[in-house]
Amino acid sequence: MKILYFAWLRERVGKAEEDVELPASVKTVADLLRFLTGRGEEYAHAFENAKVIRAAIDKVHVKPDAPIANAREIALFPPMTGG
Amino acid sequence: MKILYFAWLRERVGKAEEDVELPASVKTVADLLRFLTGRGEEYAHAFENAKVIRAAIDKVHVKPDAPIANAREIALFPPMTGG
Amino acid sequence: MMQVRITDQPIDPAAETVALTRGRSDVGALVAFSGICRDSEDSGKITSLTLEHYPGMAEAEISRHIEEAKARWPLLGARIVHRVGRIVPGEVIVFAACTSKHRMAAFEAAEFLMDFLKTRAPFWKKVESAGAENWVEAKEKDDNAAARWERGAKRKAAE
Amino acid sequence: MMQVRITDQPIDPAAETVALTRGRSDVGALVAFSGICRDSEDSGKITSLTLEHYPGMAEAEISRHIEEAKARWPLLGARIVHRVGRIVPGEVIVFAACTSKHRMAAFEAAEFLMDFLKTRAPFWKKVESAGAENWVEAKEKDDNAAARWERGAKRKAAE
């Protein structure tokens, strides 16, 4: 699965995007956040406050309980601060 | 007293401004409208629907019961339609 | 610079806007409204508009509303320019702009100023349409728009 | 013409505005908002802002909100231009304009678009201040501003 990171999430993870092999047990965005948190120190730091993280599947905002099965790309990012 | 007329009031009265000698009995804007109505056919036509007429004393909006004793100029006009 | 200007020459919104922001970097939000002469209304095609005003009072009344807006919102600047005389479709009738640190004050103040300008500033429009000239009648919806702000509230009332 | 544009070059509000009115005389009201980089905020002097965005989603999300605005108000046009990359104080971060026959629709739609852009469009600001760089935190008041429009109402709710 293609995962994108933005803003301080990108800085903490240390990359803008990556392809991640996901186990079948990772079914929702919330599952994905928990899974990524366990991938190492930088991820644990990036996702330490998981409830502020927003997600988009294929460039559309989704909630944490959104299923990820048919996603082409999943973006994870902090609350937006444009405008 | 210097009286100014604007828009269709000006057209109906036939002049933009005039100096009018007012009797002592004309104490308010409402009195003035009644007084002017009696000055001739063009005035009767101009003021036939007195309740739509707005007034300003010395360039400040006033209500019909405003006293006119200390006015330098009184303007009479239809509802405004700028902007 | 003058906050209020009445002119019989074409209004250039870009030029009027520049004056509110040039040389300063404390402005975070600029809301600029342009009211433009349309080529038609309910009653048909418009050939031209002619704007009459009460010189002296028009400037004073608009200035009073700008002061009121500055008392209600933390504005950094405000500017209103109103055209008078004969105007053809596509030309700007009125330009109103407000600047502030944040967007909400600028939006609210600009809308407030336009609502009051419509109902309280001494201007009158005559429309030329199909060879006939008629004075524009005041609209109840403009009175209602102004009334939203009446309660001294910073925010306008919901409808 | 494109309703949404994201650019790493300076934004010229006047040029962006012209495109909404040129060659047409059905527009009676234009509301143009410019969000400008200030030179200071609560925490001190600002040297620069750096804007990051999610290419593709940013345009799509803004376009969705323009469609939503067009469903709520009788708009004749809308345009949003957002800057990305490094910006210094005085430069325009975002430009949003709406045109309509009448002013109220243009005002409301422009404010609606900015409220949603602030909270839903995937852009992130980093501020450089006194040599340090920090990501800007989302503001609760921006969430509240967007929430005013949530009830499907044409007019935003009163506070």
Side-chain angles (χ1 to χ4, degrees):
Chain A
M1 180 71 67
K2 185 180 178 186
I3 315 284
L4 308 179
Y5 307 103
F6 291 96
W8 52 255
L9 212 54
R10 170 181 55 71
E11 290 182 340
R12 290 186 184 183
V13 169
K15 55 189 93 167
E17 65 175 85
E18 61 181 329
D19 273 296
V20 180
E21 196 78 30
L22 297 179
S25 61
V26 175
K27 295 183 193 308
T28 68
V29 167
D31 292 343
L32 176 64
L33 293 184
R34 274 188 295 271
F35 172 77
L36 290 170
T37 305
R39 292 190 85 215
E41 231 173 80
E42 66 275 32
Y43 290 90
H45 178 46
F47 295 101
E48 66 188 3
N49 190 4
K51 67 177 186 294
V52 309
I53 308 290
R54 311 294 179 91
I57 292 180
D58 296 338
K59 303 188 168 72
V60 175
H61 289 294
V62 295
K63 301 224 153 110
D65 61 359
I68 62 171
N70 299 311
R72 284 185 306 274
E73 67 180 41
I74 304 177
L76 301 173
F77 42 80
M80 291 144 282
T81 57
Chain B
M1 180 70 68
K2 183 180 179 187
I3 315 283
L4 309 179
Y5 307 103
F6 291 96
W8 53 256
L9 212 54
R10 171 180 55 70
E11 290 181 340
R12 291 186 184 184
V13 168
K15 55 189 93 167
E17 64 175 86
E18 62 181 329
D19 273 296
V20 181
E21 196 78 29
L22 297 178
S25 61
V26 175
K27 296 184 192 309
T28 66
V29 167
D31 293 341
L32 175 65
L33 293 184
R34 272 188 296 271
F35 171 77
L36 291 170
T37 305
R39 292 190 85 214
E41 230 173 80
E42 67 274 31
Y43 289 91
H45 179 47
F47 295 102
E48 66 187 5
N49 190 5
K51 67 177 185 295
V52 309
I53 309 289
R54 311 294 179 92
I57 292 181
D58 298 339
K59 303 188 168 73
V60 176
H61 289 294
V62 295
K63 301 224 155 110
D65 62 358
I68 63 171
N70 299 311
R72 284 186 305 273
E73 68 181 39
I74 305 178
L76 302 173
F77 43 80
M80 291 143 283
T81 57
Chain C
M1 106 186 223
M2 295 274 291
Q3 292 188 120
V4 180
R5 191 161 65 89
I6 294 171
T7 176
D8 60 1
Q9 298 299 307
I11 295 170
D12 175 0
E16 304 295 343
T17 307
V18 163
L20 282 170
T21 53
R22 186 168 37 202
R24 60 191 301 170
S25 46
D26 54 346
V27 170
L30 163 72
V31 172
F33 171 82
S34 299
I36 302 165
C37 178
R38 288 181 290 127
D39 65 356
S40 65
E41 52 169 10
D42 301 342
S43 58
K45 282 279 169 197
I46 293 174
T47 309
S48 73
L49 288 181
T50 302
L51 261 294
E52 177 172 333
H53 78 300
Y54 181 0
M57 181 171 170
E59 295 88 337
E61 185 66 18
I62 295 172
S63 295
R64 285 192 281 269
H65 286 297
I66 290 178
E67 293 313 308
E68 170 74 14
K70 287 183 171 178
R72 289 191 187 207
W73 293 278
L75 299 185
L76 293 169
R79 181 154 176 77
I80 292 186
V81 184
H82 205 298
R83 181 83 179 269
V84 291
R86 190 168 184 277
I87 299 174
V88 295
E91 289 190 304
V92 174
I93 301 168
V94 60
F95 172 82
C98 291
T99 52
S100 185
K101 277 176 72 173
H102 301 291
R103 75 185 183 287
M104 202 175 294
F107 267 116
E108 297 278 337
E111 198 172 1
F112 167 89
L113 287 172
M114 281 308 305
D115 284 348
F116 277 93
L117 189 142
K118 281 267 177 183
T119 55
R120 302 281 292 179
F123 295 87
W124 300 271
K125 276 198 201 89
K126 193 177 214 176
V127 60
E128 186 191 341
S129 179
E133 288 196 325
N134 288 291
W135 290 99
V136 172
E137 286 195 48
K139 292 183 184 69
E140 192 185 1
K141 74 174 178 187
D142 286 326
D143 287 331
N144 294 341
R148 295 179 298 168
W149 306 94
E150 287 291 359
R151 291 159 223 180
K154 189 168 167 184
R155 301 271 309 164
K156 61 182 176 293
E159 283 179 314
Chain D
M1 111 187 222
M2 295 275 289
Q3 293 189 118
V4 180
R5 191 161 64 89
I6 293 171
T7 177
D8 59 2
Q9 298 298 308
I11 295 171
D12 175 0
E16 304 295 344
T17 307
V18 163
L20 283 171
T21 54
R22 185 166 39 198
R24 60 191 302 171
S25 47
D26 55 344
V27 170
L30 164 72
V31 172
F33 171 82
S34 299
I36 303 165
C37 179
R38 289 181 288 126
D39 66 356
S40 65
E41 52 168 13
D42 303 342
S43 58
K45 282 281 169 195
I46 293 174
T47 309
S48 73
L49 288 181
T50 302
L51 261 294
E52 177 172 333
H53 78 302
Y54 181 1
M57 181 172 170
E59 295 87 336
E61 185 67 17
I62 295 173
S63 295
R64 284 192 282 269
H65 286 297
I66 289 179
E67 294 312 308
E68 170 75 14
K70 287 184 170 177
R72 291 190 186 207
W73 293 278
L75 299 185
L76 293 169
R79 183 155 176 76
I80 292 186
V81 184
H82 204 298
R83 180 85 179 268
V84 291
R86 190 168 184 276
I87 298 173
V88 296
E91 290 190 302
V92 174
I93 301 168
V94 60
F95 172 81
C98 291
T99 53
S100 185
K101 279 176 71 175
H102 302 291
R103 75 186 182 287
M104 200 175 295
F107 267 116
E108 297 278 337
E111 198 172 1
F112 167 90
L113 286 172
M114 281 308 305
D115 284 349
F116 277 92
L117 189 143
K118 281 267 179 183
T119 54
R120 302 281 292 178
F123 293 87
W124 300 271
K125 276 197 202 87
K126 192 177 214 176
V127 59
E128 186 191 342
S129 180
E133 289 197 324
N134 288 291
W135 290 98
V136 172
E137 285 197 48
K139 293 185 185 67
E140 193 184 0
K141 74 175 178 187
D142 287 325
D143 288 330
N144 294 342
R148 295 178 297 168
W149 307 93
E150 286 290 359
R151 291 158 221 181
K154 190 169 168 185
R155 302 271 310 165
K156 60 183 178 294
E159 284 180 315

